[in-house]
Amino acid sequence: MTTMSNVRWVRSVVRGCIAGAAVWVVAAPLPAAGQAPAQPTFTKDIAPILQRSCQKCHRPNALAPMSLISYEDVRPWARSIKYRTGLRSRMGVMPPWYIEKNIGIQRFKDDWSLSDAEVATIAAWADNGAPRGNPADMPTPPPFVDVDAWEIGQPDLIVSSPSFEVKALAADWWGSLGEADTGLTEDRYVAAIEYRERNDLPRGVKSDTVGGLFVVHHAVFISFAPDDSPNDATQWPVHEVGRNADVFDEEAGQLLKAGSTLMFPSVHLHANGTDTTGRLEVGFKFHPKGYEPTRKMQLLFFGNGPDIDIRAMEDNQRMDAYFTLPENTKVSVYEPHMHAPGVRMCLEAIWGTTVETLNCSGYDHNWVRAYKYEDDAAPLLPKGTILHLTGYFNNTQTNPNVVDPRNWSGSGHRSVDNMFINLLQAIYLDDDEFEAEVAKREQKMRLTGGTDIGCLLCGAADPPANAGGSQ
Ligand code: HEC
């Protein structure tokens, strides 16, 4: 199931059982009261937050509709910033990061989310009339990289898809974008990949959704070498609008073979109101020559497609799916994937009587995010662990992503159809490797006195060494 090829992944999700059609009331997590300074000012308290978590997108000609750099830029948006940051993990939150803070693992790479104290500081600042403060307190502006720069750094290889054209008011389109040669003359192991849509839309145009700046909604590509059989094709993580780059585990570089061709078998294009010509670039960052992986990256996509039954005009619709891990597993990436009515997902690990909620997260189909765990916080799950996925759907007019909530919807590729999957990335470990990883994490727990949610067997009693008893 881990090597599902090309487009089949969207359909061949595990047929998990549905635990009835229970209606679940989703309690929106309340931000805990942080310790906001009594009189926060822009220069002292707000600007540092914006520099770290907002200006990557909120600066001229970047992704976001307005710049949030100077006091003059930011002041008119004070109330709106308070509102958006106060949404925490729910749809619409800024920055777009939906991991719930009050449950599950909290340590992720490139986490730009705000702490409760920062959210409280912003709220207090906005409520106090959004004062500028002392100009001398203004932090030095961060060095900006070009807005077109790649998150993974300058790629070693950039492959462009064939170009496409989408009319201003065309219907959505699903299909294959065809093939592109990599021109690669030797096998290389890939450390990271990133997709970039390059299009001729004017820069700096205001758009209510991030999707309004692009025409590719999602794209899947596979790579195959000249003598590969169809089953040998290598599958890569999917591109989605608003999604981040993929940096693979250091020890699990993915092979891109010499002479490989990229094929884009499953692509969804949508009109955005302007005639647009574009193409998709895939940037590859390679490991140094001579690198050999010691592990294989597994795409553990699981969920439930066939049973999706989203009723009209109803909030809090719940689905469940289950998957039993065939090997000892370290999960590297948690990536909820739903469609327009999807608003929340939780992932739970069950092993014997141990049940841990690994993560819960909000979901916004405009901002599909992949969350990469810090190496020493990644779920470490023994073979036989049952992964339990819970999805929550809001098919009412209170969900702005749903075009017409009077429609029932089932499973399918279109955004008006639904999906319920987690696109986990993982590596498998043999028993010795697994025990060594658990021992490392237990050691850390002892040193820090903390807990380790993801390490299911950490602290668990060892089975009796000689059950026969030899004292
Ligand atoms: C990854 C890029 C990105 C980051 C990081 C980001 N934003 Fe945004 N922001 C956007 C985009 C794109 C939009 C418009 C689409 C949307 O609302 O999703 C937006 C919309 C907004 C809006 C609403 C604007 C309106 O027209 O009503 C506010 C307010 C906002 N962002 C504030 C922030 C703040 C404050 C931060 C940091 C704490 C932040 N954003 C971080 C990309 C980003």
Side-chain angles (χ1 to χ4, degrees):
M1 85 119 256
T2 55
T3 51
M4 293 176 214
S5 65
N6 63 49
V7 293
R8 269 196 304 136
W9 68 266
V10 279
R11 270 178 260 129
S12 47
V13 288
V14 175
R15 279 155 206 262
C17 12
I18 289 272
V23 174
W24 197 254
V25 179
V26 184
L30 291 174
Q35 298 95 36
Q39 297 286 328
T41 65
F42 175 76
T43 52
K44 190 156 189 282
D45 306 291
I46 305 301
I49 301 174
L50 302 180
Q51 287 186 355
R52 192 199 68 224
S53 293
C54 320
Q55 291 174 2
K56 178 180 181 307
C57 304
H58 287 274
R59 57 183 161 126
N61 293 327
L63 209 55
M66 74 286 192
S67 181
L68 293 179
I69 297 179
S70 68
Y71 179 69
E72 287 70 25
D73 290 339
V74 176
R75 175 67 188 88
W77 293 98
R79 298 219 68 78
S80 175
I81 291 172
K82 175 189 166 187
Y83 172 69
R84 292 292 203 112
T85 53
L87 292 171
R88 300 314 269 134
S89 63
R90 279 167 291 151
M91 187 180 286
V93 67
M94 282 288 148
W97 179 275
Y98 305 91
I99 296 292
E100 292 179 14
K101 299 267 183 189
N102 56 355
I103 192 161
I105 301 166
Q106 295 299 320
R107 297 189 45 242
F108 292 90
K109 293 188 173 160
D110 302 320
D111 180 352
W112 53 22
S113 65
L114 306 189
S115 66
D116 290 339
E118 287 169 327
V119 171
T121 300
I122 290 173
W125 172 71
D127 291 344
N128 283 344
R132 180 196 295 264
N134 182 353
D137 290 337
M138 190 70 181
T140 324
F144 280 134
V145 285
D146 181 352
V147 289
D148 287 329
W150 298 76
E151 272 177 45
I152 56 171
Q154 187 53 34
D156 299 305
L157 173 72
I158 298 172
V159 182
S160 174
S161 76
S163 66
F164 39 79
E165 200 189 333
V166 182
K167 289 286 175 206
L169 296 176
D172 284 25
W173 178 90
W174 287 265
S176 164
L177 271 188
E179 298 180 2
D181 277 336
T182 59
L184 199 63
T185 53
E186 54 186 342
D187 288 1
R188 291 302 296 266
Y189 283 97
V190 176
I193 67 162
E194 184 176 349
Y195 296 81
R196 283 279 156 133
E197 176 180 332
R198 305 291 184 195
N199 65 38
D200 61 355
L201 280 172
R203 283 305 178 86
V205 171
K206 188 169 156 52
S207 167
D208 288 342
T209 66
V210 63
L213 307 171
F214 302 103
V215 290
V216 178
H217 178 271
H218 85 252
V220 174
F221 86 89
I222 55 173
S223 63
F224 57 93
D227 45 3
D228 275 350
S229 76
N231 289 337
D232 292 335
T234 306
Q235 194 187 0
W236 299 81
V238 59
H239 168 63
E240 320 245 7
V241 70
R243 191 175 177 279
N244 34 340
D246 285 282
V247 179
F248 302 126
D249 282 325
E250 180 65 29
E251 63 270 48
Q254 280 246 103
L255 180 60
L256 188 64
K257 293 184 196 157
S260 281
T261 300
L262 306 191
M263 191 177 130
F264 299 85
S266 164
V267 177
H268 170 192
L269 302 178
H270 63 88
N272 60 25
T274 310
D275 288 357
T276 306
T277 302
R279 64 203 162 76
L280 203 58
E281 284 181 352
V282 189
F284 294 90
K285 200 91 182 136
F286 293 142
H287 281 291
K289 284 182 196 176
Y291 162 95
E292 286 289 338
T294 52
R295 311 252 197 273
K296 189 174 178 329
M297 199 263 280
Q298 312 281 343
L299 295 175
L300 286 188
F301 299 169
F302 88 102
N304 186 332
D307 297 314
I308 292 179
D309 170 23
I310 304 296
R311 296 173 294 282
M313 305 300 286
E314 206 176 300
D315 193 0
N316 296 321
Q317 303 187 53
R318 171 175 167 168
M319 281 194 73
D320 295 83
Y322 298 86
F323 174 63
T324 306
L325 288 173
E327 300 291 343
N328 303 316
T329 304
K330 184 171 179 178
V331 179
S332 326
V333 172
Y334 165 90
E335 182 178 349
H337 185 87
M338 304 159 93
H339 281 189
V343 291
R344 184 174 186 241
M345 191 180 271
C346 291
L347 178 65
E348 190 176 70
I350 305 167
W351 195 78
T353 53
T354 304
V355 181
E356 282 292 359
T357 300
L358 300 177
N359 276 109
C360 285
S361 54
Y363 185 79
D364 178 345
H365 197 44
N366 278 307
W367 284 105
V368 181
R369 310 298 295 173
Y371 303 95
K372 187 161 175 66
Y373 292 108
E374 287 287 359
D375 297 329
D376 60 355
L380 210 47
L381 310 172
K383 176 177 178 171
T385 297
I386 298 167
L387 291 180
H388 172 203
L389 203 61
T390 316
Y392 301 89
F393 300 84
N394 174 2
N395 194 23
T396 71
Q397 61 274 38
T398 60
N399 178 349
N401 287 341
V402 172
V403 178
D404 187 344
R406 292 171 302 177
N407 289 320
W408 171 91
S409 61
S411 174
H413 286 212
R414 303 174 306 165
S415 294
V416 292
D417 301 321
N418 290 288
M419 289 194 186
F420 169 47
I421 322 174
N422 205 306
L423 309 178
L424 297 178
Q425 294 177 31
I427 49 180
Y428 289 153
L429 304 169
D430 68 25
D431 287 349
D432 290 344
E433 293 165 342
F434 185 75
E435 272 174 33
E437 291 273 338
V438 170
K440 251 197 286 175
R441 300 268 286 260
E442 282 182 326
Q443 166 82 349
K444 200 179 131 226
M445 267 171 66
R446 271 193 295 274
L447 292 173
T448 60
T451 53
D452 191 332
I453 295 170
C455 184
L456 233 50
L457 299 191
C458 276
D462 288 334
N466 38 12
S470 63
Q471 288 116 319

